[in-house]
Structures are given as C-alpha cells and as structure tokens.
Amino acid sequence: MQKELRVAAYAVCVRNGALLLARLTLRDGSRRWTLPGGGMDHGEDPYDTVIREVEEETGYAIEPTALLGVDSQRHAYPRRPGATADFQSLRIVYEAQVTGGELRHETDGSTDMAAWHPLEDVPALARVLLVDVGLTLWRERPVVGRAPGIPEPQPAPLQGK
C-alpha cells in the first residue's frame, strides 16, 4: 500500500467577531467551508506557506501572530484501479491577522469562495473538521498544541496490504 504525507498550514483569522473561511470543493463535488491555507511546497517554511496560501485563497495579506497547534488526520484513499493510499494530513494551525489586501475569491484553485462568517453562525455551516479544530485551538490555546474535546478520527479501514 502506498503511504502519502501532506503537510499544510492554515490560519484562524478572527475579526470583529467573524471568522475568515474559504469554500473547498471536495472530490465528490460537494462544497464545505475550511480554514484558509493549504499544502506546503518542498523546502518552504510553514510560516511562509500560510501567508502564501491565505493570499491565494482570499486576497488578504496576513501576519501570523501565534502558532496554535498541529492536527493530524489519517484516511484511506483510492488511487489507480485496485490501489489504495494510506494518506496522512499534517496540518499546522496559526492565528493570524489581516494586514492588507482585499477580499476576493480564488480562481483555478481548490476553493471557489472566501467570506467572513459570524462566529455564532459557524456551527450551522457545512464545514470540514479542521474548522472546529482551529476554533478549539484558538479559543482554548492548549499548551500541548492539540485540540481538546475534538474526537480523534479513526482511520478508515485500509483494504489490501
């Protein structure tokens, strides 16, 4: 079975009681809100990754102000016919503030929209688990950098060996 690791960096940007989110298009065509951010390029520092990715997805220039924590998820994904990948996503989560730019939507990327959402409206949004993880890290600021109270997802059963 093929093993894959993706390292990414994301930002929790809260301003005037609202959270900045980007709308992600999933493989099945559904859309879910996520924290702005994304995959780290080889040789890139995660700090630089979050700055670049937030600008690409939202149009905003940001300054990371705190490292909130790290989240790790593991899933099984189908690959070429008959093959499955054991995929791990390592997500570095920063708190950040907007320092410039103007809100805009990403074109030709994995997201199609960026918007501010009042914090009290976030629980009703169609969102990925990373939003809850990021908000928990932001609110609780655990010393160990792991979101307490967020159930640790169990990896999907891996088929074949």
Side-chain angles (χ1 to χ4, degrees):
M1 178 174 307
Q2 180 178 346
K3 294 179 182 177
E4 298 178 14
L5 173 66
R6 179 177 185 263
V7 181
Y10 295 89
V12 175
C13 297
V14 177
R15 182 172 73 182
N16 300 323
L19 177 65
L20 180 62
L21 296 173
R23 194 171 67 178
L24 180 65
T25 302
L26 302 175
R27 292 175 194 245
D28 66 3
S30 65
R31 293 188 170 110
R32 301 275 187 277
W33 291 100
T34 189
L35 297 177
M40 190 170 79
D41 293 334
H42 181 77
E44 186 177 34
D45 186 280
Y47 184 92
D48 298 326
T49 299
V50 74
I51 292 169
R52 175 182 55 78
E53 285 284 343
V54 171
E55 192 281 327
E56 287 175 6
E57 291 183 356
T58 70
Y60 285 127
I62 61 158
E63 178 185 347
T65 56
L67 176 61
L68 295 175
V70 177
D71 180 60
S72 179
Q73 304 286 320
R74 189 172 166 206
H75 307 280
Y77 281 116
R79 291 297 187 237
R80 67 185 185 285
T84 303
D86 179 357
F87 181 84
Q88 181 180 4
S89 178
L90 184 69
R91 301 172 309 185
I92 301 163
V93 183
Y94 291 92
E95 178 178 32
Q97 64 183 13
V98 173
T99 58
E102 293 185 23
L103 183 65
R104 62 150 173 75
H105 307 310
E106 181 177 33
T107 56
D108 299 322
S110 60
T111 64
D112 68 347
M113 181 183 287
W116 291 95
H117 296 273
L119 286 168
E120 63 269 12
D121 293 350
V122 172
L125 295 175
R127 65 195 185 283
V128 298
L129 179 63
L130 179 60
V131 174
D132 298 330
V133 169
L135 281 174
T136 300
L137 290 168
W138 177 74
R139 287 181 175 123
E140 300 189 19
R141 299 188 184 265
V143 174
V144 296
R146 186 170 185 188
I150 301 291
E152 185 173 337
Q154 299 303 307
L158 300 175
Q159 300 171 357
K161 293 192 180 194

